[in-house]
């Protein structure tokens, strides 16, 4: 009998058994949740192919199903009953209830389940007492007032299990889940108004930042912008860290809430600072390095601000269940949070995007499947056939670490590798004098000392933003604490006489990865700007790594910033980088620098925009890369990998050794994102390209037959470029798309308010709107306000543009109200707007 038929037969038996004794099971006070799990729910999912009781004997990290221990906090149960997993990653939760609970109508169990699923960013989760089986969409933010039916995708009673067996098996069996059934099922129901946990957490962070910034500025006027930002970031990070530790059971429940209660003898901040001091003694790490942090030690803060923030971190105002929120999701929110800064203005504080973020169109967090793929493809060859002693020598770098997503991925990979290695070599765990004695605990977790060693031995990062460095440390600390308990923490504090976390100050550091100490030699270098430039000496800061020859792996997602926007660095880049081109993106320099930082044989893999393969400015980069052994290029074409971004990426992987002309380069061109596993998708679409087929003029990733066909076409035809030479021109650069590019409804509104607006509104196409074999389509319109136009003739458009006056062209610092560039003070605001349109006469077709 095949597995499907076996499952049908077993579920039929369970249904018969339940229906035969339904009334007793529902009415008995003794028949509780634990018993219904044992009698019905466990066998139900076992029939669907899940190893519910870990009969394979896998360590905790790799079990199919985790029955979570329950932690009671304020009368609330803090862990879902089951976490179903694939490869150690959660795929859905199941919350179990006793049969007397009315699952169809009772809103509390539904809210509890949805809160877990939403916090863990799982699309689906299940609520059942076996008699009833409810499927919930967990992508929408839950509210305690939601009805039980809110976000419920389906509801079955046990009498329907056999009639709908094919649906249950094809959606929730382990076999089906491995084939991507949950993703397909979730995609069938796309609800409007969904708010992911990272989006909500970002909104909360931004709200708390604004509150703290105003409060700190008001009570601490002596702090400058940088000092205020640092104090704000530290205070916020400390509160969030301790709140997460509460939900994980590492800190007393409700201690932050208790500290925030009004008292006459101490301020709220003084009581919170006492908690920070205790955390410093317990956790170490730079986050609570109070001795070297004078600004927060003497900070004055009003009670109301802190009480508001703390209150919003607790139920019912807080929708998060921090015990199940992955660190990676918090990093997603923090990555975007760090894209804005606090500025002092005459009118008060202002939060604005960093200039480089604004020019790039925002901060785009790397999807987790990209991080996992790059980490696995890069580290797998480096750890193959090695021992833990040898792996301890590996140095892994992200030179633009941001909130630490790639370093988190690398750290998680090494944690998993060590677990597997120790499980396969149990003899080393028992040797009395072995450095690995008891390295793997009975529950399958690594001993804390091993996790700390991996972190300090292997993980390195650099970022220009010192706040990003602190967030990376925070993320890595929270990852290191996963699986820790109050008992393990107390053991280290009392018996081992050491704090729980290592300091990461030597591993994760602030600096400019692309600019070295020789930048001071620039003739036009202003010494006062060194604080912002942050020149970085790689060999001095990571002397031990370079003493071994360099880094073993460089991974990441470098910033995408057009180099032409960084004019103050032009001469430095020109003399320091062989891939320099006046119009190249900054990531070109990160590619050259990253490969140079590797030891011979080291591995390099990053995700970057794919323009460098075809654009003219990428020629020098292509020529420089040709000397190295390219191992893989995965091109995503024009797929929207980054949400709300028009950057289309590729994954570039290189081994630092001289190129072998006989060794082909693995390549893949993807045309969809709805795959279950990126590695499997790349493997299915993989083809080899010859190094000889990489034309310096443009790299086209095509299998050999297609390349040969293209050569034949080129040999007898005229390239399109010859036909259109001198007839295609660069388009408009608006200076601020948010102001000058409007959607259809806004266009209609402007014309309705003033019909003359139609004279300045032109159909607008971006690069992403131009596709092969498809007529161009766009619902965007460009406000084409050329210099010299009397904007007062177009009042609707003028009113629209003036909303953005402060961002279009900031007033010069030396502006005192006098004429500026020949303009009268009264025309100042409109001149700012008009000057930012960057009108290019060549945009118009030649006459």
């Amino acid at each position: 009998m095949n597995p499907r038929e076996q499952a049908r037969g077993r579920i039929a038996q369970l249904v018969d058994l339940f229906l035969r004794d339904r009334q007793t099971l529902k009415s008995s006070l003794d028949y509780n949740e634990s018993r219904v799990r044992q009698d019905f729910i466990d066998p139900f999912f076992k029939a669907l192919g899940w190893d519910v009781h870990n009969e394979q004997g896998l360590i905790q990290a790799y079990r199919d199903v985790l029955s979570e221990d329950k932690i009671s906090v304020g009368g609330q149960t803090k862990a879902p009953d089951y976490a179903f997993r694939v490869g150690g990653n959660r795929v859905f939760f199941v919350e179990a209830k006793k049969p007397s609970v009315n699952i169809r109508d009772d809103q509390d169990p539904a809210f509890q389940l949805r809160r877990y699923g939403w916090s863990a960013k799982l699309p689906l989760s299940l609520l059942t007492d076996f008699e009833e089986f409810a499927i919930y969409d967990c992508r929408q933010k839950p509210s305690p007032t939601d009805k039980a039916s809110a976000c419920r995708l389906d509801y079955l009673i046990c009498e329907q299990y056999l009639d709908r067996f094919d649906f249950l098996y094809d959606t929730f069996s382990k076999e089906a889940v491995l084939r991507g059934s949950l993703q397909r099922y979730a995609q069938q129901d796309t609800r409007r108004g969904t708010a992911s946990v990272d989006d909500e957490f970002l909104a909360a962070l931004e709200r708390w930042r604004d509150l703290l910034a105003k409060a700190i500025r008001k009570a601490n006027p002596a702090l400058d912008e940088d000092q205020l930002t640092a104090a704000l970031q530290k205070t916020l990070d400390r509160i969030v860290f301790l709140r997460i530790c509460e939900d994980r059971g590492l800190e007393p429940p409700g201690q932050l809430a208790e500290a925030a209660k009004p008292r006459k003898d101490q301020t709220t901040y003084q009581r919170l600072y006492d908690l920070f001091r205790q955390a410093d003694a317990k956790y170490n790490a730079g986050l609570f390095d109070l001795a070297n942090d004078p600004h927060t030690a003497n900070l004055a803060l009003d009670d109301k601000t802190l009480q508001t923030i703390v209150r919003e971190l607790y139920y019912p105002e807080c929708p998060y269940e921090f015990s199940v929120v992955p660190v990676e999701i918090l990093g997603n929110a923090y990555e975007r949070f760090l894209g804005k800064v606090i500025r002092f203005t005459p009118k008060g504080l202002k939060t604005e995007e960093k200039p480089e973020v604004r020019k790039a169109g925002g901060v785009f967090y790397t999807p987790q499947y990209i991080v996992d793929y790059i980490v696995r493809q890069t580290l797998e060859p480096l750890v193959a056939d090695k021992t833990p002693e040898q792996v301890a020598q590996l140095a892994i770098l992200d030179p633009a670490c941001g909130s630490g997503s790639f370093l988190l991925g690398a750290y998680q990979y090494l944690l998993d590798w060590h677990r597997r290695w120790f499980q396969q070599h149990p003899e080393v765990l028992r040797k009395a004098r072995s450095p690995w004695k008891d390295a793997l605990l009975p529950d399958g977790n690594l001993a804390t000392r091993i996790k700390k060693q991996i972190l300090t031995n292997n993980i390195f990062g650099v970022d220009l933003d010192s706040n990003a460095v602190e967030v990376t440390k925070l993320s890595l600390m929270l990852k290191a604490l996963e699986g820790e308990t109050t008992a393990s923490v107390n053991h280290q504090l009392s018996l081992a006489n050491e704090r729980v976390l290592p300091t990461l100050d030597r591993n994760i550091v602030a600096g400019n990865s692309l600019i070295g100490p020789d930048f001071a030699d620039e003739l036009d270098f202003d010494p006062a700007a060194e604080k912002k430039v942050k020149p970085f000496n790689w060999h001095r800061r990571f002397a031990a790594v370079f003493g071994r020859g360099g880094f073993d792996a460089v991974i990441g997602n470098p910033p995408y910033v057009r180099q032409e926007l960084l004019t103050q660095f032009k001469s430095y880049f020109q003399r320091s980088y062989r891939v320099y081109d006046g119009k190249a993106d900054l990531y070109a320099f990160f590619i050259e620098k990253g490969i140079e930082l590797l030891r011979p044989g080291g591995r390099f893999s990053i995700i970057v925009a794919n323009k460098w393969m075809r654009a003219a400015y990428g020629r020098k980069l292509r020529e420089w890369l040709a000397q190295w052994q390219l191992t893989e290029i995965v091109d995503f074409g024009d797929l929207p990998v980054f949400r709300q971004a028009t950057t289309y990426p590729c994954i570039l992987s290189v081994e630092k050794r001289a190129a072998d002309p006989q060794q082909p380069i693995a390549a893949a061109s993807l045309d969809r994102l709805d795959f279950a596993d990126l590695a499997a998708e790349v493997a299915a679409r993989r083809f080899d390209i010859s190094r000889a087929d990489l034309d310096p003029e443009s790299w086209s990733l095509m299998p050999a037959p297609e390349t040969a066909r293209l050569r034949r076409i080129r040999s007898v035809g005229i390239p399109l470029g010859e036909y259109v030479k001198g007839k295609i021109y660069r388009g408009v650069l608006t200076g601020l798309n948010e102001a000058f590019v409007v959607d259809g409804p806004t266009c209609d509104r402007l014309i309705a308010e003033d019909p003359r607006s139609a004279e300045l509104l032109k159909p607008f196409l971006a690069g992403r709107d131009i596709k092969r074999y498809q007529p161009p389509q766009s619902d965007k319109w460009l406000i084409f306000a050329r210099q010299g136009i009397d904007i007062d003739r177009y009042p609707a458009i003028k009113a629209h543009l003036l909303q953005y006056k402060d961002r279009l062209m900031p007033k010069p610092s030396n502006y005192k109200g006098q004429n500026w560039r020949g303009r009268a003070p009264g025309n100042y605001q409109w001149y700012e707007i008009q000057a930012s349109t960057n009108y290019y006469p060549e945009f118009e077709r030649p006459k």
Side-chain angles (χ1 to χ4, degrees):
M1 189 182 296
N2 63 40
R4 178 184 287 266
E5 291 307 313
Q6 287 179 341
R8 180 189 291 273
R10 180 60 180 134
I11 289 175
Q13 292 174 357
L14 291 171
V15 171
D16 288 342
L17 182 61
F18 186 89
L19 293 178
R20 204 163 51 229
D21 208 14
R22 172 188 271 172
Q23 290 306 117
T24 303
L25 297 177
K26 289 175 67 73
S27 60
S28 173
L29 297 177
D30 294 331
Y31 200 76
N32 56 24
E33 178 186 308
S34 178
R35 291 185 63 185
V36 76
R37 289 174 59 174
Q38 180 180 347
D39 293 345
F40 293 99
I41 298 175
D42 288 1
F44 178 87
F45 284 103
K46 184 177 179 181
L48 292 177
W50 296 96
D51 187 3
V52 177
H53 299 122
N54 194 32
E55 294 173 14
Q56 300 177 76
L58 299 178
I59 62 174
Q60 178 117 341
Y62 299 106
R63 291 179 179 178
D64 274 7
V65 182
L66 284 185
S67 295
E68 309 269 352
D69 291 332
K70 295 179 181 177
I71 305 168
S72 180
V73 178
Q76 297 289 319
T77 301
K78 301 301 290 182
D81 295 312
Y82 301 89
F84 284 74
R85 311 189 306 169
V86 170
N89 297 314
R90 300 181 183 116
V91 289
F92 63 89
F93 288 137
V94 172
E95 188 67 15
K97 297 299 173 187
K98 58 186 178 181
S100 59
V101 172
N102 184 348
I103 282 179
R104 186 185 65 179
D105 300 320
D106 192 342
Q107 65 189 54
D108 289 340
F111 171 69
Q112 183 183 25
L113 172 76
R114 288 177 53 212
R115 191 175 180 216
Y116 289 138
W118 183 78
S119 296
K121 208 171 183 180
L122 301 179
L124 302 172
S125 283
L126 310 176
L127 180 63
T128 185
D129 59 0
F130 188 79
E131 182 186 26
E132 302 170 278
F133 186 94
I135 306 168
Y136 280 92
D137 183 341
C138 296
R139 292 169 293 185
Q140 190 165 348
K141 180 181 175 181
S143 169
T145 60
D146 288 340
K147 294 181 179 179
S149 59
C151 295
R152 191 163 63 202
L153 302 180
D154 210 339
Y155 171 84
L156 295 77
I157 57 175
C158 61
E159 289 93 333
Q160 297 175 294
Y161 288 175
L162 295 182
D163 291 339
R164 300 194 61 189
F165 173 79
D166 287 340
F167 161 72
L168 289 171
Y169 192 87
D170 291 338
T171 308
F172 297 107
S173 70
K174 183 179 179 182
E175 175 189 346
V177 170
L178 288 171
R179 295 199 305 263
S181 62
L182 295 181
Q183 293 92 330
R184 289 191 296 273
Y185 181 67
Q187 287 168 2
Q188 294 172 11
D189 184 270
T190 54
R191 294 168 180 265
R192 295 191 176 189
T194 56
S196 64
V197 62
D198 45 342
D199 289 337
E200 285 292 318
F201 190 65
L202 171 64
L205 285 173
E206 292 181 332
R207 185 169 63 252
W208 299 333
R209 171 174 55 196
D210 290 344
L211 287 172
L212 271 178
K214 292 173 183 175
I216 293 174
R217 178 63 170 162
K218 181 178 180 180
N220 306 268
L223 296 182
D224 62 25
E225 281 183 1
D226 292 339
Q227 292 168 341
L228 181 145
T229 300
L232 181 158
Q233 187 78 49
K234 285 274 193 183
T235 302
L236 197 52
D237 289 351
R238 288 165 180 169
I239 291 173
V240 169
F241 177 86
L242 290 176
R243 180 66 187 90
I244 292 172
C245 287
E246 280 188 36
D247 268 10
R248 290 185 179 183
L250 298 176
E251 290 291 319
Q255 69 168 0
L256 285 172
E258 185 65 29
K261 289 181 179 178
R263 283 174 55 179
K264 294 181 179 180
D265 58 329
Q266 279 185 308
T267 67
T268 298
Y269 185 73
Q270 287 172 334
R271 294 194 297 279
L272 287 175
Y273 198 79
D274 286 341
L275 295 180
F276 299 161
R277 189 178 292 108
Q278 295 169 27
D280 187 24
K282 181 187 287 189
Y283 297 109
N284 194 10
L287 179 61
F288 295 105
D289 186 8
L290 305 182
N292 297 309
D293 185 18
H295 301 307
T296 60
N298 302 310
L299 206 61
L301 270 171
D302 68 282
D303 290 352
K304 184 179 178 181
T305 296
L306 291 171
Q307 288 163 1
T308 298
I309 293 171
V310 171
R311 185 179 68 249
E312 291 184 4
L313 281 165
Y314 284 91
Y315 178 88
E317 292 194 36
C318 174
Y320 320 107
E321 180 49 66
F322 287 114
S323 63
V324 297
V325 176
V327 175
E328 293 80 4
I329 288 177
L330 299 178
N332 185 347
Y334 263 116
E335 186 89 12
R336 290 177 285 165
F337 176 78
L338 292 169
K340 295 182 179 180
V341 291
I342 302 291
R343 296 287 184 227
F344 292 175
T345 72
K347 296 180 181 180
L349 294 178
K350 183 177 181 181
T351 303
E352 62 184 21
E353 285 186 328
K354 296 175 180 176
E356 64 272 22
V357 171
R358 186 167 65 249
K359 292 293 184 181
V363 175
F364 307 113
Y365 190 80
T366 312
Q368 192 60 40
Y369 68 88
I370 298 285
V371 173
D372 293 341
Y373 181 82
I374 287 177
V375 166
R376 183 169 65 251
Q377 296 296 107
T378 308
L379 299 190
E380 206 166 63
L382 295 175
V383 300
D385 303 321
K386 284 187 170 61
T387 65
E389 288 89 349
Q390 293 169 319
V391 170
Q393 299 301 308
L394 297 178
I396 302 159
L397 169 73
D398 184 345
C401 61
S403 67
S405 59
F406 279 89
L407 296 182
L408 278 172
Y411 185 41
Q412 183 65 61
Y413 182 91
L414 292 176
L415 292 173
D416 293 342
W417 182 88
H418 280 83
R419 288 192 193 102
R420 289 194 300 270
W421 194 92
F422 289 129
Q423 189 181 30
Q424 295 164 2
H425 301 82
E427 68 280 359
V428 304
L429 304 173
R430 297 189 292 268
K431 291 182 179 178
R433 297 187 178 181
S434 168
W436 311 116
K437 179 176 170 55
D438 300 325
L440 193 66
L441 304 177
D443 64 1
N445 277 316
L446 292 171
T448 310
R449 62 183 174 85
I450 304 300
K451 292 193 289 185
K452 291 161 66 173
Q453 289 172 18
I454 296 169
L455 197 52
T456 54
N457 288 341
N458 303 124
I459 304 299
F460 299 87
V462 178
D463 200 277
L464 182 62
D465 186 347
S466 57
N467 291 315
V469 166
E470 294 305 317
V471 170
T472 295
K473 292 177 185 178
L474 172 66
S475 298
L476 289 169
M477 286 189 291
L478 289 170
K479 176 63 71 173
L481 285 173
E482 285 183 354
E484 295 295 328
T485 64
T486 303
S488 66
V489 169
N490 290 338
H491 171 80
Q492 292 181 78
L493 294 174
S494 56
L495 299 180
N497 196 27
E498 61 180 31
R499 290 183 280 187
V500 181
L501 294 169
T503 179
L504 296 177
D505 291 345
R506 295 181 180 178
N507 292 61
I508 316 297
V509 296
N512 195 319
S513 292
L514 299 179
I515 294 179
D518 58 336
F519 185 64
D521 299 337
E522 293 292 303
L523 296 177
D524 57 349
F525 176 53
D526 178 6
E530 185 168 1
K531 184 179 178 182
K532 281 192 173 182
V533 176
K534 297 180 184 176
F536 191 71
N537 189 322
W538 284 94
H539 287 264
R540 187 176 67 187
R541 292 304 299 265
F542 298 120
V545 172
F546 287 100
R548 301 195 299 267
F551 288 94
D552 298 271
V554 174
I555 54 179
N557 176 9
Y560 305 169
V561 181
R562 291 300 294 270
Q563 180 218 243
E564 62 199 36
L565 302 173
L566 305 171
T567 54
Q568 68 270 40
F569 305 127
K570 180 179 178 180
S571 59
Y572 180 83
F573 288 149
Q574 189 170 16
R575 71 178 174 84
S576 302
Y577 289 92
R578 284 160 287 186
V579 301
Y580 172 83
D581 182 286
K583 297 178 182 178
D585 275 82
L586 206 61
Y587 64 72
F589 306 137
F590 272 98
I591 292 174
E592 181 177 336
K593 174 63 71 175
I595 294 174
E596 285 185 342
L597 293 172
L598 289 171
R599 63 160 177 80
R603 298 264 173 170
F604 173 90
S605 186
I606 62 171
I607 182 166
V608 293
N610 58 21
K611 283 185 179 180
W612 66 270
M613 289 194 289
R614 292 171 279 274
Y617 71 68
R619 181 179 182 119
K620 286 189 176 181
L621 176 58
R622 294 190 292 270
E623 291 175 343
W624 184 82
L625 278 172
Q627 69 182 300
W628 305 112
Q629 186 59 50
L630 305 180
T631 55
E632 184 178 72
I633 302 174
V634 178
D635 188 9
F636 289 89
D638 61 356
L639 295 173
V641 172
F642 296 109
R643 187 174 58 175
Q644 299 176 339
T646 55
T647 296
Y648 304 119
C650 69
I651 296 174
L652 170 67
S653 300
V654 180
E655 184 180 355
K656 191 176 182 180
R657 60 184 174 89
D660 181 353
Q662 304 305 314
Q663 184 172 334
I665 301 164
S669 296
L670 305 188
D671 59 7
R672 67 188 188 113
L673 292 177
D674 60 341
F675 42 74
D677 179 70
L678 177 56
E681 184 73 9
V682 170
R685 295 175 175 271
R686 183 185 187 277
F687 55 87
D688 290 340
I689 55 177
S690 167
R691 186 170 294 276
D693 289 335
L694 295 180
D695 186 340
E697 292 295 329
S698 176
W699 285 9
S700 297
L701 302 186
M702 296 183 293
E706 291 187 24
T707 302
R709 192 177 302 120
L710 182 60
R711 281 205 194 99
R712 290 198 297 272
I713 292 172
R714 283 175 172 167
S715 68
V716 299
I718 300 175
L720 177 63
E722 294 297 320
Y723 281 109
V724 300
K725 191 173 183 179
K727 300 176 183 177
I728 290 183
Y729 301 88
R730 187 179 192 178
V732 165
L733 299 181
T734 70
L736 184 66
N737 284 359
E738 293 174 44
F740 292 96
V741 180
V742 300
D743 58 19
T746 303
C747 176
D748 294 340
R749 176 180 60 79
L750 292 172
I751 293 174
E753 292 176 3
D754 174 24
R756 278 179 299 188
S757 298
E759 298 173 15
L760 302 186
L761 288 162
K762 309 296 181 184
F764 179 78
L765 292 172
R768 68 187 304 172
D769 300 316
I770 311 297
K771 300 180 186 293
R772 290 183 296 178
Y773 317 124
Q774 297 179 25
Q777 295 180 346
S778 176
D779 61 349
K780 300 289 192 297
W781 296 78
L782 176 72
I783 298 175
F784 194 51
R786 312 181 204 176
Q787 289 179 340
I789 285 177
D790 182 4
I791 198 64
D792 289 322
R793 294 186 62 244
Y794 306 93
I797 287 179
K798 179 178 179 179
H800 168 81
L801 292 178
L802 284 173
Q803 299 176 78
Y804 303 92
K805 63 182 180 183
D806 292 335
R807 294 178 57 190
L808 286 168
M809 187 176 287
K811 190 187 332 183
S813 58
N814 61 354
Y815 181 73
K816 304 295 183 183
Q818 70 272 25
N819 288 358
W820 177 42
R821 295 187 189 176
R823 296 279 173 168
N827 295 334
Y828 170 72
Q829 289 181 338
W830 171 240
Y831 179 73
E832 290 180 316
I833 293 173
Q834 193 179 37
S836 71
T837 60
N838 292 337
Y839 168 64
Y840 286 87
E842 64 268 28
F843 176 78
E844 294 207 87
R845 193 174 297 172
K847 297 180 181 178

